[in-house]
Amino acid sequence: MISVQEADFDSAALTAALRDRAGSGVGGIVTFVGYVRDYAPDSPTDTLYLEHYPGMCERELEEIAATARARWNLDGTVIVHRVGALSRNAQIVFVAAASAHRGDAFRGCEYIIDALKTRAPFWKRETLAGGNSFWVEQRQSDQDRTDAWDDDTSTTKERP
Amino acid sequence: MNGATINLLYFARVAELVGKRTEAWPLEGESTGAQLLAALGERYPQLAPASRLKLAINQTHSKPAAPIRPGDEVAVFEPVTGG
């Protein structure tokens, strides 16, 4: 399930819906929620504006989720990403992965959020409490994390 | 001249620097992403501060050597920062 939306989301409801869809073989669901935070300790964030590329964005998210499902034993995945103006502490992104086994669920969820941060066409514009605003630059550490999944050898599916 | 164009889309800081979000760009025959980026740099010197410009051709991330053909949708943007 993929959604790019302005509206806020309910993590518990999304998790319960995934549990219902995924069936009785599910042993666990790993979820990740991202929030708007202060990016620098001495300059509080006021708002974050999320721009995206409609169409391509949904396609990339579908592809990332499909890659995760092909790589690990997953019974279902969810990606919800908000766009538009978000206030400090607001929820930005929700990722969930359901599996019979915790290892697949943890790795699937982590892969999706890592891949999303370097492949899905979203851009953040941050406005500080003092009024300054700027486009956030991609961190090299995010790209390194995505690249590391290509070299990862511990990604074989667990036995059912 | 056959009047062939590509549909350019600009996002985030790139859109702010060029002052528009979309543009029909003339393209004769086949070109590459690198040639397009060079031509954009000449047309819009204000793009110079934009680092590491990326392209997506028909909504797929593309390398500079990728071919661009008339009718393509080509997006120009800086590295993404979602999540």
Side-chain angles (χ1 to χ4, degrees):
Chain A
M1 182 267 201
I2 303 290
S3 179
V4 178
Q5 61 190 46
E6 290 192 12
D8 200 3
F9 53 80
D10 179 340
S11 302
L14 289 167
T15 306
L18 173 60
R19 174 69 187 79
D20 288 345
R21 280 198 308 278
S24 58
V26 169
I29 295 177
V30 170
T31 64
F32 173 86
V33 181
Y35 299 91
V36 177
R37 66 175 168 92
D38 289 334
Y39 290 85
D42 54 344
S43 48
T45 296
D46 182 57
T47 54
L48 202 61
Y49 179 80
L50 267 291
E51 179 176 331
H52 78 299
Y53 181 178
M56 179 177 172
C57 204
E58 289 81 354
R59 280 175 51 170
E60 282 292 321
L61 295 178
E62 292 281 6
E63 199 174 304
I64 291 165
T67 299
R69 290 195 297 268
R71 200 161 165 177
W72 295 281
N73 280 314
L74 300 179
D75 296 304
T77 56
V78 177
I79 306 175
V80 177
H81 204 299
R82 296 180 70 192
V83 293
L86 302 177
S87 58
R88 195 167 165 215
N89 299 329
Q91 301 185 120
I92 303 180
V93 61
F94 177 87
V95 174
S99 176
H101 305 287
R102 69 186 183 284
D104 290 274
F106 273 115
R107 283 192 281 276
C109 184
E110 187 175 23
Y111 169 82
I112 290 172
I113 190 68
D114 282 352
L116 178 159
K117 287 180 82 76
T118 56
R119 285 175 46 190
F122 294 99
W123 298 273
K124 287 177 180 145
R125 185 176 179 83
E126 184 176 356
T127 301
L128 301 176
N132 283 346
S133 67
F134 53 90
W135 290 98
V136 175
E137 301 219 359
Q138 190 184 78
R139 295 188 300 172
Q140 184 59 42
S141 58
D142 285 338
Q143 186 62 55
D144 293 344
R145 287 181 67 91
T146 302
D147 294 344
W149 285 105
D150 294 335
D151 305 325
D152 192 272
T153 55
S154 64
T155 54
T156 49
K157 292 184 177 186
E158 290 184 25
R159 289 175 186 277
Chain B
M1 287 292 288
N2 58 11
T5 61
I6 56 174
N7 185 28
L8 275 183
L9 304 179
Y10 303 116
F11 288 97
R13 185 155 73 131
V14 175
E16 288 183 352
L17 290 170
V18 301
K20 62 185 87 172
R21 304 195 67 84
T22 174
E23 177 172 23
W25 184 273
L27 190 79
E28 288 186 64
E30 195 172 284
S31 183
T32 67
Q35 288 171 319
L36 172 66
L37 288 175
L40 280 170
E42 284 184 25
R43 172 89 171 267
Y44 300 112
Q46 66 270 35
L47 274 174
S51 62
R52 299 186 292 154
L53 286 179
K54 304 275 190 184
L55 292 176
I57 302 173
N58 297 323
Q59 303 195 352
T60 302
H61 289 292
S62 301
K63 297 199 181 306
I68 295 172
R69 300 180 178 86
D72 283 348
E73 175 179 295
V74 181
V76 185
F77 47 80
E78 291 188 286
V80 305
T81 54

